[in-house]
Amino acid sequence: MLRFSVNKSEIAKKISIASSSIGSRTVDPILQCLLFKPTDGHISIYGTDLQTSVISLVRVGEYEGNESFAVDAELIDDIVSNLSEEEVIFEYSNGKLLVKSGKAKYNISTISDIERFPIIEVDNGGVRFSIDTSILEEMLERVSFCASSESAMRALNGVYWEVHGGFLRLVASDGYRLALAEQKLDIDSEFDFILALKSVKELEKLVSSTTEPTINIVYDHSIVSFNAGDVTMVVRTVEETFPDYKRVLPKAFKTRVVLNSDDFSEALKRVMIISKRGNEKVQLKITDDVMELSSQSPDFGEAIENIPVTKDGEDLIVNFNPKFLSEAVKHIGEKEIEFNFVDNINPLQINPRNVEGYIYIVLPVRA
Amino acid sequence: MLRFSVNKSEIAKKISIASSSIGSRTVDPILQCLLFKPTDGHISIYGTDLQTSVISLVRVGEYEGNESFAVDAELIDDIVSNLSEEEVIFEYSNGKLLVKSGKAKYNISTISDIERFPIIEVDNGGVRFSIDTSILEEMLERVSFCASSESAMRALNGVYWEVHGGFLRLVASDGYRLALAEQKLDIDSEFDFILALKSVKELEKLVSSTTEPTINIVYDHSIVSFNAGDVTMVVRTVEETFPDYKRVLPKAFKTRVVLNSDDFSEALKRVMIISKRGNEKVQLKITDDVMELSSQSPDFGEAIENIPVTKDGEDLIVNFNPKFLSEAVKHIGEKEIEFNFVDNINPLQINPRNVEGYIYIVLPVRA
């Protein structure tokens, strides 16, 4: 038996967070469930897809009984988020869960063999460090969109974390482009690991939904845990080696262009109306203080735009996949940005003008 | 040659309305196009899927030249809706369309054999009548959701219009339920026709987007036209006979229940969390002044709710497809509604309590 009364928005929030780790194409019914487990005066809710586990603590006044139960995650999420009264009563006994709130009453089936529920244990022995929630949120936002979701190289289907020389670096690449964000941290150890893209997306949800100012991280080789107050995420790292990204960072630029990111995004958006119906290519033509953007489509015609820029160095004509430019500018999120070109073959580096710690690299395409 | 300058929001709105008639799975390229045609001091834009044509008049200052052209509807819609400056210049010559606005410039291919573009001519000889835009909007809203989108009976895949005894009646049914809305009109003629559901959806768009207070309708047997200011929709009717709907309207009610539609919708929404995982059935149990709603699912459990009601007549237990109840209550859009039951086999009639002119009929399902 287990019985507790809880505030509706508290339980709805905690169920929703724990559910986020659950895979959508699970075969084993126990992996579609959340485990509710009473521990030390509160209820812990566990959800997992075997790679990522989320544990959220629910603040309950008190509880009677000491049994755990597991219930379909989507169903219980659906139920609590549609309740209209503030107080919700959970009552588990003999394999049945009763959920009551106001005049609404649910008798829910639970799953029987809960000892099979996989709990990833967190070791207390790992390396501990912490980072401001808002800084980690921005770093993830600026990097994770570059990770591949379908590369044959498993190392690229995720985000690389490198702690080295007192810095945390996050790096992601799909082979055509690469993003790198770095931040000074108070840490002496040196280590690195890869988080799978799905784990990264769940971490992004955790980081953007928490009100905690700091994320506490424990690294223990194959397991990394992220804690934000009532919520802890435990992740198995990807056992692969990330490619040597430093080799692709361009040097010796011949053309530097400073531009307003809104001007560029607006012009690019209009040129992409043609490129998406054509060869998915945009030409940038930099002459003096003007950048001309253009696209062709054999069936539909052509689009031409131009924006004012400040240029140092040589004039240049170079082609890109427009999606790789628009996503970069969007995720940088700064008004003034720099385009640093080597030539029309080597990677372009894009970075915010006056902000340290972020670069984006993208390969040109042939004309 | 044809050249005109036009306000961006004016042209964007008119292109969007004319595009709404274009089918999404057209094989003939000319049916993916809008025809731009200069007539009597303005530009008319035509779009059609052969069953429904929309003609929208564009207010232009003046135009040079007198040629028509046809251009891909999605492309030109995409282009004008993404422009940022107020003034747009269209310049058509030698099969090419130039669209210019601010620093944006598009050279667009047009289609050559525009004499093939199908224009449905409106006859001036038909029966004319008119109806308040807001009344027609409400009637369509309350009826069209009942039309079938896939019935083997083509007559049910649309909305039946019956003008009889000085009333306009709109009726739609999918064989399991039926909705009927009526309105007194100033008209002596008697006639009826069926509009296909796709034409009805376009008419709903027209009616909800116009600022004109009145819709002017011309009925000419196989063709009906709807005019709202600058926009005219010309529709071919469906050549089928609508079933005799009057035969299914229930009489002699044994149980009448008055309830608050918000109470009912909220309770039903929560019970549907189980029914959608079970047998898609909700049981209503009416005893004295309480309606109990419940659903079962063999895998997930059961949900029970109850709401206060005012009852006249006998107690009753009856089952329904919950979707058919929730959609009805949503589309009636009134606070106080009546459920009029005959028994647990014959159709239930739902209607607003104090508003004339609308009834909804739905068949119970077996327990």
Side-chain angles (χ1 to χ4, degrees), chain A residues 72 74-75 78-79 82 84 103-109 269-270 273-274 276-277 299-306 308, chain B residues 72 74-75 78-79 82 84 103-109 269-270 273-274 276-277 299-306 308:
Chain A
D72 187 84
E74 266 188 30
L75 175 66
D78 225 359
I79 288 174
N82 280 293
S84 57
K103 288 174 179 168
K105 204 166 80 180
Y106 293 89
N107 283 304
I108 304 299
S109 308
K269 180 182 75 177
R270 287 194 286 268
I273 292 171
I274 296 295
K276 76 177 178 192
R277 294 172 165 90
D299 294 332
F300 292 98
E302 63 168 353
I304 304 162
E305 280 271 350
N306 61 70
Chain B
D72 187 82
E74 265 187 32
L75 175 65
D78 225 358
I79 288 174
N82 280 293
S84 57
K103 288 175 179 167
K105 204 166 79 177
Y106 293 90
N107 283 304
I108 305 298
S109 308
K269 181 182 75 178
R270 287 194 286 266
I273 292 171
I274 296 296
K276 76 176 180 193
R277 294 173 165 90
D299 293 333
F300 292 99
E302 63 168 352
I304 303 163
E305 279 272 349
N306 60 70

Short mmCIF file of all heavy atoms in Angstrom, two decimals, chain A residues 72 74-75 78-79 82 84 103-109 269-270 273-274 276-277 299-306 308, chain B residues 72 74-75 78-79 82 84 103-109 269-270 273-274 276-277 299-306 308:
data_model
loop_
_atom_site.label_atom_id
_atom_site.label_comp_id
_atom_site.label_asym_id
_atom_site.label_seq_id
_atom_site.Cartn_x
_atom_site.Cartn_y
_atom_site.Cartn_z
N ASP A 72 1.75 3.28 -16.51
CA ASP A 72 2.01 3.80 -17.85
C ASP A 72 2.24 5.31 -17.82
O ASP A 72 1.40 6.07 -17.32
CB ASP A 72 0.83 3.46 -18.76
CG ASP A 72 1.10 3.83 -20.21
OD1 ASP A 72 1.72 3.02 -20.90
OD2 ASP A 72 0.69 4.94 -20.64
N GLU A 74 2.50 7.76 -20.21
CA GLU A 74 1.62 8.64 -21.00
C GLU A 74 0.25 8.77 -20.35
O GLU A 74 -0.34 9.84 -20.33
CB GLU A 74 1.42 8.06 -22.40
CG GLU A 74 2.37 8.59 -23.42
CD GLU A 74 2.00 8.11 -24.82
OE1 GLU A 74 0.80 7.88 -25.09
OE2 GLU A 74 2.91 7.94 -25.64
N LEU A 75 -0.25 7.63 -19.84
CA LEU A 75 -1.58 7.64 -19.22
C LEU A 75 -1.60 8.54 -17.99
O LEU A 75 -2.47 9.41 -17.86
CB LEU A 75 -1.98 6.21 -18.84
CG LEU A 75 -3.30 6.07 -18.07
CD1 LEU A 75 -4.49 6.48 -18.93
CD2 LEU A 75 -3.49 4.64 -17.56
N ASP A 78 -1.30 12.19 -18.92
CA ASP A 78 -2.58 12.63 -19.47
C ASP A 78 -3.59 12.90 -18.36
O ASP A 78 -4.29 13.92 -18.35
CB ASP A 78 -3.11 11.50 -20.37
CG ASP A 78 -3.63 12.01 -21.70
OD1 ASP A 78 -3.61 13.22 -21.91
OD2 ASP A 78 -4.07 11.17 -22.51
N ILE A 79 -3.65 11.98 -17.40
CA ILE A 79 -4.63 12.11 -16.31
C ILE A 79 -4.35 13.34 -15.46
O ILE A 79 -5.20 14.22 -15.32
CB ILE A 79 -4.66 10.84 -15.43
CG1 ILE A 79 -5.32 9.68 -16.20
CG2 ILE A 79 -5.40 11.09 -14.11
CD1 ILE A 79 -5.28 8.33 -15.49
N ASN A 82 -4.89 16.87 -16.97
CA ASN A 82 -6.26 17.28 -17.26
C ASN A 82 -7.14 17.46 -16.03
O ASN A 82 -8.31 17.78 -16.17
CB ASN A 82 -6.92 16.27 -18.21
CG ASN A 82 -6.48 16.51 -19.65
OD1 ASN A 82 -6.82 17.52 -20.25
ND2 ASN A 82 -5.69 15.59 -20.19
N SER A 84 -8.73 19.31 -12.76
CA SER A 84 -9.01 20.74 -12.58
C SER A 84 -8.92 21.19 -11.13
O SER A 84 -8.82 22.38 -10.86
CB SER A 84 -10.38 21.08 -13.16
OG SER A 84 -11.37 20.30 -12.55
N LYS A 103 -14.43 15.60 -8.36
CA LYS A 103 -15.38 14.55 -8.71
C LYS A 103 -14.79 13.53 -9.68
O LYS A 103 -15.47 12.60 -10.11
CB LYS A 103 -16.64 15.16 -9.30
CG LYS A 103 -17.49 15.86 -8.26
CD LYS A 103 -18.65 16.58 -8.93
CE LYS A 103 -19.52 17.26 -7.88
NZ LYS A 103 -20.48 18.18 -8.53
N ALA A 104 -13.54 13.72 -10.06
CA ALA A 104 -12.91 12.79 -11.01
C ALA A 104 -12.27 11.63 -10.26
O ALA A 104 -11.66 11.82 -9.21
CB ALA A 104 -11.86 13.52 -11.83
N LYS A 105 -12.43 10.42 -10.80
CA LYS A 105 -11.91 9.22 -10.14
C LYS A 105 -11.41 8.26 -11.19
O LYS A 105 -12.13 7.96 -12.15
CB LYS A 105 -13.05 8.57 -9.34
CG LYS A 105 -12.61 7.73 -8.20
CD LYS A 105 -13.78 7.41 -7.25
CE LYS A 105 -14.63 6.27 -7.82
NZ LYS A 105 -15.76 5.93 -6.92
N TYR A 106 -10.17 7.79 -11.05
CA TYR A 106 -9.60 6.82 -11.98
C TYR A 106 -9.13 5.59 -11.21
O TYR A 106 -8.44 5.72 -10.21
CB TYR A 106 -8.39 7.40 -12.71
CG TYR A 106 -8.70 8.52 -13.66
CD1 TYR A 106 -8.70 9.85 -13.23
CD2 TYR A 106 -8.96 8.27 -15.00
CE1 TYR A 106 -8.97 10.89 -14.11
CE2 TYR A 106 -9.24 9.31 -15.89
CZ TYR A 106 -9.23 10.62 -15.43
OH TYR A 106 -9.50 11.63 -16.31
N ASN A 107 -9.50 4.39 -11.70
CA ASN A 107 -8.92 3.14 -11.20
C ASN A 107 -7.98 2.63 -12.28
O ASN A 107 -8.44 2.21 -13.34
CB ASN A 107 -10.01 2.10 -10.95
CG ASN A 107 -10.75 2.39 -9.66
OD1 ASN A 107 -10.13 2.49 -8.61
ND2 ASN A 107 -12.06 2.54 -9.76
N ILE A 108 -6.69 2.64 -12.00
CA ILE A 108 -5.71 2.39 -13.05
C ILE A 108 -4.98 1.08 -12.80
O ILE A 108 -4.61 0.78 -11.66
CB ILE A 108 -4.66 3.53 -13.06
CG1 ILE A 108 -5.32 4.89 -13.23
CG2 ILE A 108 -3.63 3.31 -14.15
CD1 ILE A 108 -6.08 5.03 -14.50
N SER A 109 -4.75 0.33 -13.88
CA SER A 109 -3.93 -0.88 -13.79
C SER A 109 -2.47 -0.50 -13.65
O SER A 109 -2.01 0.47 -14.25
CB SER A 109 -4.09 -1.72 -15.05
OG SER A 109 -5.45 -1.93 -15.33
N LYS A 269 16.30 34.38 -45.95
CA LYS A 269 14.97 33.77 -45.94
C LYS A 269 14.29 33.95 -47.30
O LYS A 269 13.68 33.03 -47.84
CB LYS A 269 14.13 34.43 -44.84
CG LYS A 269 12.73 33.91 -44.68
CD LYS A 269 11.97 34.69 -43.59
CE LYS A 269 11.58 36.08 -44.09
NZ LYS A 269 10.79 36.85 -43.09
N ARG A 270 14.42 35.15 -47.87
CA ARG A 270 13.75 35.41 -49.15
C ARG A 270 14.44 34.69 -50.31
O ARG A 270 13.79 34.24 -51.24
CB ARG A 270 13.67 36.92 -49.39
CG ARG A 270 12.63 37.57 -48.48
CD ARG A 270 12.28 38.97 -48.93
NE ARG A 270 13.34 39.91 -48.64
CZ ARG A 270 13.41 40.63 -47.52
NH1 ARG A 270 12.47 40.54 -46.60
NH2 ARG A 270 14.40 41.46 -47.33
N ILE A 273 13.49 30.98 -50.66
CA ILE A 273 12.22 30.63 -51.33
C ILE A 273 12.52 30.01 -52.69
O ILE A 273 11.84 29.08 -53.12
CB ILE A 273 11.33 31.89 -51.48
CG1 ILE A 273 10.87 32.35 -50.09
CG2 ILE A 273 10.13 31.62 -52.38
CD1 ILE A 273 10.17 33.70 -50.10
N ILE A 274 13.55 30.50 -53.36
CA ILE A 274 13.96 29.91 -54.65
C ILE A 274 14.87 28.70 -54.43
O ILE A 274 14.67 27.65 -55.04
CB ILE A 274 14.67 30.96 -55.53
CG1 ILE A 274 13.70 32.09 -55.90
CG2 ILE A 274 15.24 30.31 -56.79
CD1 ILE A 274 12.52 31.70 -56.77
N LYS A 276 15.12 26.50 -52.14
CA LYS A 276 14.47 25.25 -51.70
C LYS A 276 13.69 24.61 -52.84
O LYS A 276 13.35 23.44 -52.76
CB LYS A 276 13.58 25.49 -50.47
CG LYS A 276 12.26 26.16 -50.74
CD LYS A 276 11.44 26.27 -49.44
CE LYS A 276 10.13 27.00 -49.71
NZ LYS A 276 9.44 27.37 -48.48
N ARG A 277 13.39 25.37 -53.89
CA ARG A 277 12.77 24.78 -55.08
C ARG A 277 13.82 24.50 -56.17
O ARG A 277 13.48 24.16 -57.29
CB ARG A 277 11.72 25.73 -55.65
CG ARG A 277 10.52 25.93 -54.73
CD ARG A 277 9.60 27.03 -55.22
NE ARG A 277 8.31 27.01 -54.57
CZ ARG A 277 8.01 27.65 -53.44
NH1 ARG A 277 8.93 28.38 -52.84
NH2 ARG A 277 6.80 27.57 -52.91
N ASP A 299 13.40 25.48 -62.69
CA ASP A 299 11.97 25.52 -62.98
C ASP A 299 11.31 26.84 -62.61
O ASP A 299 10.33 27.24 -63.22
CB ASP A 299 11.23 24.41 -62.22
CG ASP A 299 11.63 23.03 -62.71
OD1 ASP A 299 12.01 22.94 -63.90
OD2 ASP A 299 11.60 22.08 -61.92
N PHE A 300 11.81 27.51 -61.57
CA PHE A 300 11.06 28.62 -61.02
C PHE A 300 11.68 30.00 -61.24
O PHE A 300 11.00 31.00 -61.12
CB PHE A 300 10.79 28.40 -59.53
CG PHE A 300 9.86 27.25 -59.26
CD1 PHE A 300 10.33 26.01 -58.92
CD2 PHE A 300 8.50 27.44 -59.39
CE1 PHE A 300 9.45 24.96 -58.68
CE2 PHE A 300 7.61 26.40 -59.16
CZ PHE A 300 8.09 25.14 -58.81
N GLY A 301 13.01 30.07 -61.49
CA GLY A 301 13.61 31.37 -61.71
C GLY A 301 14.73 31.66 -60.73
O GLY A 301 15.43 30.76 -60.29
N GLU A 302 14.90 32.95 -60.38
CA GLU A 302 16.00 33.30 -59.49
C GLU A 302 15.60 34.40 -58.52
O GLU A 302 14.65 35.14 -58.75
CB GLU A 302 17.22 33.75 -60.31
CG GLU A 302 16.94 35.00 -61.12
CD GLU A 302 18.21 35.63 -61.71
OE1 GLU A 302 19.32 35.18 -61.38
OE2 GLU A 302 18.07 36.59 -62.48
N ALA A 303 16.35 34.47 -57.41
CA ALA A 303 16.14 35.52 -56.42
C ALA A 303 17.47 36.20 -56.14
O ALA A 303 18.51 35.54 -56.08
CB ALA A 303 15.59 34.94 -55.13
N ILE A 304 17.43 37.53 -56.00
CA ILE A 304 18.64 38.31 -55.70
C ILE A 304 18.33 39.31 -54.60
O ILE A 304 17.31 39.98 -54.63
CB ILE A 304 19.14 39.08 -56.96
CG1 ILE A 304 19.38 38.11 -58.11
CG2 ILE A 304 20.40 39.87 -56.64
CD1 ILE A 304 19.43 38.80 -59.46
N GLU A 305 19.21 39.38 -53.61
CA GLU A 305 19.06 40.32 -52.50
C GLU A 305 20.41 40.95 -52.26
O GLU A 305 21.44 40.36 -52.61
CB GLU A 305 18.73 39.55 -51.21
CG GLU A 305 17.31 39.15 -51.05
CD GLU A 305 16.48 40.24 -50.37
OE1 GLU A 305 17.06 41.22 -49.85
OE2 GLU A 305 15.26 40.08 -50.37
N ASN A 306 20.48 42.10 -51.61
CA ASN A 306 21.78 42.51 -51.10
C ASN A 306 21.67 43.26 -49.81
O ASN A 306 20.65 43.88 -49.50
CB ASN A 306 22.60 43.24 -52.15
CG ASN A 306 21.94 44.50 -52.61
OD1 ASN A 306 21.84 45.45 -51.85
ND2 ASN A 306 21.45 44.49 -53.85
N PRO A 308 24.05 45.61 -46.75
CA PRO A 308 25.30 46.34 -46.49
C PRO A 308 26.16 45.56 -45.49
O PRO A 308 25.64 44.97 -44.54
CB PRO A 308 24.81 47.64 -45.86
CG PRO A 308 23.50 47.30 -45.22
CD PRO A 308 22.89 46.20 -46.05
N ASP B 72 3.12 29.97 -60.52
CA ASP B 72 2.92 28.98 -59.46
C ASP B 72 2.39 29.64 -58.19
O ASP B 72 2.98 30.58 -57.65
CB ASP B 72 4.26 28.28 -59.17
CG ASP B 72 4.10 27.13 -58.19
OD1 ASP B 72 3.72 26.03 -58.64
OD2 ASP B 72 4.32 27.34 -56.98
N GLU B 74 1.91 28.59 -54.94
CA GLU B 74 2.68 28.48 -53.69
C GLU B 74 3.90 29.38 -53.72
O GLU B 74 4.24 30.02 -52.72
CB GLU B 74 3.16 27.04 -53.51
CG GLU B 74 2.26 26.20 -52.65
CD GLU B 74 2.89 24.84 -52.38
OE1 GLU B 74 4.14 24.76 -52.30
OE2 GLU B 74 2.13 23.87 -52.27
N LEU B 75 4.56 29.42 -54.89
CA LEU B 75 5.77 30.24 -55.02
C LEU B 75 5.45 31.72 -54.81
O LEU B 75 6.11 32.40 -54.01
CB LEU B 75 6.41 30.02 -56.39
CG LEU B 75 7.62 30.90 -56.70
CD1 LEU B 75 8.78 30.59 -55.78
CD2 LEU B 75 8.05 30.75 -58.16
N ASP B 78 4.50 32.48 -51.23
CA ASP B 78 5.71 32.45 -50.43
C ASP B 78 6.51 33.76 -50.59
O ASP B 78 6.97 34.36 -49.62
CB ASP B 78 6.57 31.28 -50.92
CG ASP B 78 7.15 30.46 -49.78
OD1 ASP B 78 6.91 30.81 -48.62
OD2 ASP B 78 7.84 29.47 -50.07
N ILE B 79 6.66 34.20 -51.83
CA ILE B 79 7.44 35.40 -52.12
C ILE B 79 6.80 36.63 -51.48
O ILE B 79 7.43 37.33 -50.68
CB ILE B 79 7.62 35.61 -53.64
CG1 ILE B 79 8.60 34.56 -54.21
CG2 ILE B 79 8.10 37.02 -53.96
CD1 ILE B 79 8.73 34.58 -55.73
N ASN B 82 6.75 37.02 -47.64
CA ASN B 82 8.04 37.23 -46.97
C ASN B 82 8.70 38.57 -47.28
O ASN B 82 9.80 38.83 -46.80
CB ASN B 82 9.00 36.08 -47.31
CG ASN B 82 8.70 34.85 -46.48
OD1 ASN B 82 8.88 34.86 -45.27
ND2 ASN B 82 8.21 33.80 -47.11
N SER B 84 9.46 42.56 -47.03
CA SER B 84 9.40 43.41 -45.83
C SER B 84 9.03 44.86 -46.14
O SER B 84 8.65 45.60 -45.24
CB SER B 84 10.73 43.35 -45.08
OG SER B 84 11.77 43.75 -45.92
N LYS B 103 15.20 45.91 -51.61
CA LYS B 103 16.38 45.34 -52.24
C LYS B 103 16.16 43.91 -52.74
O LYS B 103 17.08 43.27 -53.25
CB LYS B 103 17.55 45.34 -51.26
CG LYS B 103 18.09 46.74 -51.03
CD LYS B 103 19.16 46.71 -49.96
CE LYS B 103 19.74 48.11 -49.74
NZ LYS B 103 20.56 48.15 -48.52
N ALA B 104 14.93 43.39 -52.54
CA ALA B 104 14.63 42.03 -52.99
C ALA B 104 14.17 42.03 -54.45
O ALA B 104 13.42 42.91 -54.85
CB ALA B 104 13.55 41.41 -52.11
N LYS B 105 14.66 41.05 -55.23
CA LYS B 105 14.32 40.99 -56.65
C LYS B 105 14.17 39.53 -57.05
O LYS B 105 15.05 38.72 -56.77
CB LYS B 105 15.46 41.64 -57.44
CG LYS B 105 15.07 42.15 -58.79
CD LYS B 105 16.16 43.06 -59.35
CE LYS B 105 17.31 42.26 -59.94
NZ LYS B 105 18.34 43.14 -60.55
N TYR B 106 13.04 39.20 -57.67
CA TYR B 106 12.81 37.83 -58.15
C TYR B 106 12.52 37.85 -59.64
O TYR B 106 11.70 38.64 -60.10
CB TYR B 106 11.60 37.21 -57.45
CG TYR B 106 11.78 36.95 -55.98
CD1 TYR B 106 11.45 37.91 -55.04
CD2 TYR B 106 12.27 35.73 -55.54
CE1 TYR B 106 11.60 37.66 -53.68
CE2 TYR B 106 12.43 35.47 -54.18
CZ TYR B 106 12.09 36.45 -53.26
OH TYR B 106 12.25 36.20 -51.93
N ASN B 107 13.20 36.97 -60.41
CA ASN B 107 12.83 36.72 -61.81
C ASN B 107 12.17 35.36 -61.87
O ASN B 107 12.84 34.34 -61.66
CB ASN B 107 14.07 36.72 -62.70
CG ASN B 107 14.55 38.11 -62.97
OD1 ASN B 107 13.80 38.94 -63.46
ND2 ASN B 107 15.81 38.39 -62.61
N ILE B 108 10.88 35.33 -62.13
CA ILE B 108 10.10 34.11 -61.99
C ILE B 108 9.65 33.59 -63.34
O ILE B 108 9.21 34.36 -64.20
CB ILE B 108 8.85 34.39 -61.14
CG1 ILE B 108 9.23 35.02 -59.80
CG2 ILE B 108 8.02 33.14 -60.92
CD1 ILE B 108 10.09 34.15 -58.96
N SER B 109 9.72 32.27 -63.51
CA SER B 109 9.17 31.65 -64.71
C SER B 109 7.65 31.64 -64.63
O SER B 109 7.08 31.44 -63.57
CB SER B 109 9.65 30.20 -64.83
OG SER B 109 11.05 30.14 -64.71
N LYS B 269 -13.83 15.16 -21.22
CA LYS B 269 -12.41 15.17 -21.59
C LYS B 269 -11.62 14.22 -20.70
O LYS B 269 -10.76 13.46 -21.18
CB LYS B 269 -11.88 16.61 -21.44
CG LYS B 269 -10.44 16.81 -21.81
CD LYS B 269 -10.01 18.26 -21.57
CE LYS B 269 -9.82 18.53 -20.08
NZ LYS B 269 -9.34 19.90 -19.79
N ARG B 270 -11.91 14.23 -19.41
CA ARG B 270 -11.16 13.36 -18.48
C ARG B 270 -11.53 11.89 -18.64
O ARG B 270 -10.67 11.02 -18.51
CB ARG B 270 -11.36 13.85 -17.05
CG ARG B 270 -10.59 15.15 -16.78
CD ARG B 270 -10.51 15.46 -15.31
NE ARG B 270 -11.77 15.91 -14.80
CZ ARG B 270 -12.13 17.19 -14.69
NH1 ARG B 270 -11.29 18.14 -15.06
NH2 ARG B 270 -13.30 17.52 -14.21
N ILE B 273 -9.78 10.12 -21.60
CA ILE B 273 -8.40 9.65 -21.43
C ILE B 273 -8.38 8.13 -21.35
O ILE B 273 -7.47 7.48 -21.88
CB ILE B 273 -7.78 10.27 -20.15
CG1 ILE B 273 -7.60 11.78 -20.35
CG2 ILE B 273 -6.43 9.61 -19.81
CD1 ILE B 273 -7.19 12.52 -19.08
N ILE B 274 -9.39 7.55 -20.73
CA ILE B 274 -9.50 6.09 -20.69
C ILE B 274 -10.17 5.54 -21.96
O ILE B 274 -9.68 4.59 -22.56
CB ILE B 274 -10.30 5.63 -19.44
CG1 ILE B 274 -9.55 6.01 -18.16
CG2 ILE B 274 -10.57 4.13 -19.48
CD1 ILE B 274 -8.21 5.32 -17.97
N LYS B 276 -10.26 6.51 -25.00
CA LYS B 276 -9.42 6.47 -26.21
C LYS B 276 -8.38 5.35 -26.14
O LYS B 276 -7.81 4.96 -27.15
CB LYS B 276 -8.77 7.82 -26.48
CG LYS B 276 -7.60 8.18 -25.60
CD LYS B 276 -6.98 9.51 -26.05
CE LYS B 276 -5.80 9.87 -25.17
NZ LYS B 276 -5.37 11.26 -25.34
N ARG B 277 -8.12 4.83 -24.93
CA ARG B 277 -7.24 3.66 -24.78
C ARG B 277 -8.07 2.38 -24.65
O ARG B 277 -7.54 1.33 -24.35
CB ARG B 277 -6.35 3.83 -23.55
CG ARG B 277 -5.36 4.98 -23.69
CD ARG B 277 -4.62 5.22 -22.39
NE ARG B 277 -3.44 6.05 -22.57
CZ ARG B 277 -3.43 7.38 -22.50
NH1 ARG B 277 -4.54 8.04 -22.25
NH2 ARG B 277 -2.30 8.05 -22.69
N ASP B 299 -7.03 -2.77 -20.66
CA ASP B 299 -5.61 -2.71 -20.31
C ASP B 299 -5.29 -1.66 -19.26
O ASP B 299 -4.34 -1.80 -18.49
CB ASP B 299 -4.77 -2.39 -21.55
CG ASP B 299 -4.81 -3.53 -22.55
OD1 ASP B 299 -5.02 -4.68 -22.13
OD2 ASP B 299 -4.66 -3.25 -23.75
N PHE B 300 -6.06 -0.56 -19.21
CA PHE B 300 -5.62 0.57 -18.41
C PHE B 300 -6.48 0.87 -17.19
O PHE B 300 -6.04 1.56 -16.29
CB PHE B 300 -5.51 1.82 -19.30
CG PHE B 300 -4.40 1.74 -20.30
CD1 PHE B 300 -4.63 1.38 -21.61
CD2 PHE B 300 -3.09 1.97 -19.91
CE1 PHE B 300 -3.59 1.29 -22.53
CE2 PHE B 300 -2.05 1.89 -20.82
CZ PHE B 300 -2.30 1.54 -22.13
N GLY B 301 -7.76 0.42 -17.18
CA GLY B 301 -8.59 0.68 -16.01
C GLY B 301 -9.86 1.42 -16.37
O GLY B 301 -10.39 1.26 -17.47
N GLU B 302 -10.33 2.27 -15.43
CA GLU B 302 -11.60 2.96 -15.68
C GLU B 302 -11.56 4.37 -15.14
O GLU B 302 -10.76 4.70 -14.27
CB GLU B 302 -12.76 2.19 -15.06
CG GLU B 302 -12.66 2.09 -13.54
CD GLU B 302 -13.94 1.59 -12.88
OE1 GLU B 302 -14.98 1.46 -13.55
OE2 GLU B 302 -13.90 1.36 -11.65
N ALA B 303 -12.45 5.22 -15.69
CA ALA B 303 -12.59 6.60 -15.23
C ALA B 303 -14.06 6.85 -14.92
O ALA B 303 -14.93 6.39 -15.66
CB ALA B 303 -12.11 7.56 -16.30
N ILE B 304 -14.31 7.58 -13.84
CA ILE B 304 -15.68 7.93 -13.45
C ILE B 304 -15.72 9.40 -13.07
O ILE B 304 -14.85 9.89 -12.34
CB ILE B 304 -16.15 7.08 -12.24
CG1 ILE B 304 -16.04 5.59 -12.56
CG2 ILE B 304 -17.59 7.43 -11.86
CD1 ILE B 304 -16.09 4.72 -11.32
N GLU B 305 -16.73 10.11 -13.57
CA GLU B 305 -16.93 11.53 -13.28
C GLU B 305 -18.41 11.73 -13.02
O GLU B 305 -19.23 10.94 -13.48
CB GLU B 305 -16.61 12.35 -14.54
CG GLU B 305 -15.17 12.62 -14.76
CD GLU B 305 -14.68 13.87 -14.05
OE1 GLU B 305 -15.52 14.66 -13.54
OE2 GLU B 305 -13.45 14.06 -14.00
N ASN B 306 -18.78 12.78 -12.32
CA ASN B 306 -20.19 13.13 -12.37
C ASN B 306 -20.40 14.63 -12.32
O ASN B 306 -19.58 15.38 -11.80
CB ASN B 306 -21.02 12.39 -11.32
CG ASN B 306 -20.57 12.68 -9.93
OD1 ASN B 306 -20.76 13.79 -9.45
ND2 ASN B 306 -19.94 11.70 -9.30
N PRO B 308 -23.61 17.84 -12.04
CA PRO B 308 -25.00 18.13 -11.69
C PRO B 308 -25.80 18.48 -12.95
O PRO B 308 -25.28 19.14 -13.85
CB PRO B 308 -24.89 19.36 -10.78
CG PRO B 308 -23.62 20.03 -11.21
CD PRO B 308 -22.70 18.96 -11.69
#
